[in-house]
Amino acid sequence: MCTLGRTFLMVVVAIGGLVMGAQGAEKQITFSANGHDLDNNDNFSPDGKWLCFDARESIGPGIQHSQFVAMVNIVTGEEVVLYAPPVTVTGSRPAPGCGAVSFNGSKMEVAFIHGPPVEDLAERGPYDFPNRGGGHVMADGKGEFSWLDHRDIATDRDTLPGAHRGGTHRHEYSWDGNRIGFTYNDFLMKEYDRTVGYMEPRADAPGGASHYFVLMVPVVPMGTSKAGALEKAWGDVWVGRDGSKRAFIGKVRAADGVSFEQSLFIADVPLDVNITTADSGSATRFPSPPKGITIRRLTHDWADGTVRGTPDGQWVAYYGKDDEDRNQIFIIKADGSEPAKQATFLPEGVTEGLRWHPSGDAVLCISNNGVVSTSVVPGDGFGNSTFLTEQGAGQAVTKLAISFDGTMLAFNKPVETKDEDGNMVKNYLGDDFTQVFVLPYR
């Protein structure tokens, strides 16, 4: 390997692919004294002019201390608060907390995590995985909040149809905006681990919510599974535009009935599924998905993610291990008709940030603290990688995002930040605030 520091006059030849360095023109677009976390979501607006973010790691740890969700104009740097809870509590029992915000790719609106309102804190307790829901505002700066889903933890009757009993997270609109996928943690039956669900807008959604909640992936209580049964599902994403397929990572009991495997699965959710056939559950009965959903296993080797699917619904990308036990990107046909193929051959492996380019011609990720694009077009160029930013030492590059049209990338880096008077400011830990950078693509 030939390395010339961070000058990007290097070419690294790796088995199976060519890795090339080519510094891009990244641009910092946020400068305010708060966190600007992209959280690996659909952060670009449908028109590509705005990026949404939350303010975690500003005054306290995690989403539970994020005081607002906002968006920034990628040209002017204007920051607009989309929603801020009217009352918040920080410290050891924080509420509500709001973050992990995502745009609808077909409409100027956002979905995000919203923890328990402060007025419910005594009854519900502080922010926690099984104590949160989906919030919604239009991206017009008016901050008119509504609930996507309804939480019902009554123990003296069945859970209301269309309600959940815990917490939804990582809300992702399908490309056409008709369904929202999420991960889920149950409050009433904590012997069940995290799983995956979806919701649809319905007039009969309970509790004044706009959407009807159901689970998508059935799981069994932790430690009780038999060979082939799922105990946990996460890392999920829509595959295709219409919300009819959702890929995820599953923890599944191995054939020996003792050990576990971590593999890639896909849920087929036909558009004509009657969502009301789901069982909402009770204090002693875990919810079950609506009739008509099928689960398919795509891999048997180790897999991880957040996984990613192509807009045409043909391919899924995920993290697998190469021969030297490094994380690399692998791709597989969503119908399982072909074996998985290793797509990246990066000497330092893949750290995070997996994304498909909307064209389906390339996958993107972060490796060696730099943003990388890798061709997946069949032929001699398959697996060739190009660094789009500097790599190696420097501020940590995280949370890669891509616009819906594929022309712009965004990512986070902590950098020195000054207040309006020019004084250096830090977050609650004394660290630099996380800012947003953008980078044109092709």
Side-chain angles (χ1 to χ4, degrees):
M1 182 173 71
C2 174
T3 304
L4 301 177
R6 300 174 68 182
T7 61
F8 288 81
L9 299 175
M10 70 172 187
V11 174
V12 181
V13 177
I15 297 175
L18 183 68
V19 182
M20 304 181 63
Q23 185 175 353
E26 65 185 64
K27 173 188 174 184
Q28 183 178 345
I29 61 169
T30 62
F31 298 87
S32 57
N34 54 262
H36 302 78
D37 200 289
L38 299 175
D39 197 33
N40 296 310
N41 291 319
D42 292 332
N43 299 95
F44 280 90
S45 59
D47 60 10
K49 296 179 179 179
W50 299 85
L51 276 161
C52 60
F53 62 88
D54 67 56
R56 73 183 74 175
E57 303 301 322
S58 298
I59 63 172
I63 292 174
Q64 59 266 43
H65 283 97
S66 174
Q67 301 294 290
F68 58 86
V69 295
M71 64 181 182
V72 58
N73 187 286
I74 67 171
V75 175
T76 67
E78 176 191 5
E79 295 185 24
V80 176
V81 173
L82 295 173
Y83 170 75
V87 183
T88 64
V89 174
T90 60
S92 61
R93 290 174 55 80
C98 56
V101 58
S102 279
F103 267 107
N104 181 343
S106 62
K107 192 176 182 180
M108 284 292 286
E109 62 182 350
V110 296
F112 55 94
I113 293 171
H114 193 295
V118 171
E119 60 267 28
D120 297 338
L121 186 57
E123 177 185 357
R124 288 180 54 173
Y127 177 98
D128 198 3
F129 288 169
N131 192 15
R132 54 189 182 177
H136 166 271
V137 292
M138 299 302 297
D140 55 11
K142 294 180 180 180
E144 296 177 357
F145 174 84
S146 61
W147 287 104
L148 292 171
D149 50 22
H150 178 65
R151 185 175 186 265
D152 174 26
I153 57 170
T155 59
D156 59 347
R157 54 169 172 76
D158 284 357
T159 304
L160 293 172
H164 66 82
R165 317 103 55 77
T168 58
H169 166 240
R170 200 181 168 275
H171 307 91
E172 181 201 23
Y173 289 96
S174 57
W175 278 63
D176 62 9
N178 291 330
R179 287 174 169 171
I180 299 175
F182 52 82
T183 50
Y184 174 73
N185 295 84
D186 201 71
F187 176 80
L188 294 182
M189 302 185 72
K190 295 179 181 177
E191 62 268 32
Y192 287 83
D193 210 331
R194 175 170 288 186
T195 188
V196 173
Y198 77 103
M199 58 180 87
E200 294 178 350
R202 284 183 63 95
D204 60 351
S210 60
H211 286 61
Y212 196 102
F213 162 103
V214 294
L215 291 188
M216 178 187 298
V217 180
V219 292
V220 299
M222 292 178 281
T224 70
S225 59
K226 297 180 179 180
L230 285 161
E231 288 197 10
K232 181 181 180 181
W234 73 100
D236 45 308
V237 75
W238 293 117
V239 182
R241 296 181 180 274
D242 62 2
S244 63
K245 293 190 289 290
R246 194 158 182 86
F248 62 94
I249 300 297
K251 178 183 178 182
V252 61
R253 183 75 73 172
D256 62 13
V258 178
S259 58
F260 287 96
E261 297 169 341
Q262 185 173 306
S263 301
L264 177 68
F265 292 78
I266 199 160
D268 294 307
V269 191
L271 299 181
D272 61 357
V273 163
N274 181 353
I275 200 169
T276 66
T277 61
D279 178 10
S280 58
S282 70
T284 58
R285 190 177 74 254
F286 198 68
S288 60
K291 297 176 182 179
I293 295 177
T294 57
I295 308 296
R296 295 182 285 114
R297 187 172 182 173
L298 292 182
T299 70
H300 284 78
D301 294 328
W302 181 87
D304 203 5
T306 302
V307 303
R308 302 292 178 184
T310 51
D312 65 7
Q314 297 297 307
W315 293 90
V316 183
Y318 64 98
Y319 301 131
K321 296 289 187 181
D322 66 13
D323 292 339
E324 297 185 27
D325 202 39
R326 297 171 299 200
N327 282 10
Q328 302 285 357
I329 296 174
F330 287 68
I331 62 173
I332 189 170
K333 278 290 195 77
D335 63 6
S337 60
E338 298 178 11
K341 296 186 285 188
Q342 183 176 338
T344 62
F345 301 83
L346 296 160
E348 301 298 327
V350 176
T351 308
E352 63 164 87
L354 170 58
R355 295 283 183 172
W356 272 104
H357 189 270
S359 67
D361 291 343
V363 290
L364 298 106
C365 66
I366 296 171
S367 174
N368 195 30
N369 206 35
V371 178
V372 185
S373 175
T374 300
S375 173
V376 291
V377 176
D380 293 341
F382 182 91
N384 288 352
S385 294
T386 301
F387 276 88
L388 307 178
T389 67
E390 294 183 358
Q391 59 171 311
Q395 305 101 325
V397 176
T398 60
K399 312 294 178 67
L400 183 63
I402 186 168
S403 61
F404 286 100
D405 65 2
T407 62
M408 188 70 69
L409 306 178
F411 51 87
N412 283 143
K413 282 200 298 188
V415 295
E416 291 185 347
T417 301
K418 295 181 179 180
D419 63 18
E420 294 178 354
D421 298 321
N423 301 310
M424 199 73 68
V425 288
K426 305 286 185 179
N427 71 5
Y428 73 106
L429 289 174
D431 296 332
D432 289 327
F433 286 105
T434 297
Q435 304 292 352
V436 177
F437 289 73
V438 293
L439 175 69
Y441 185 80
R442 291 185 182 175

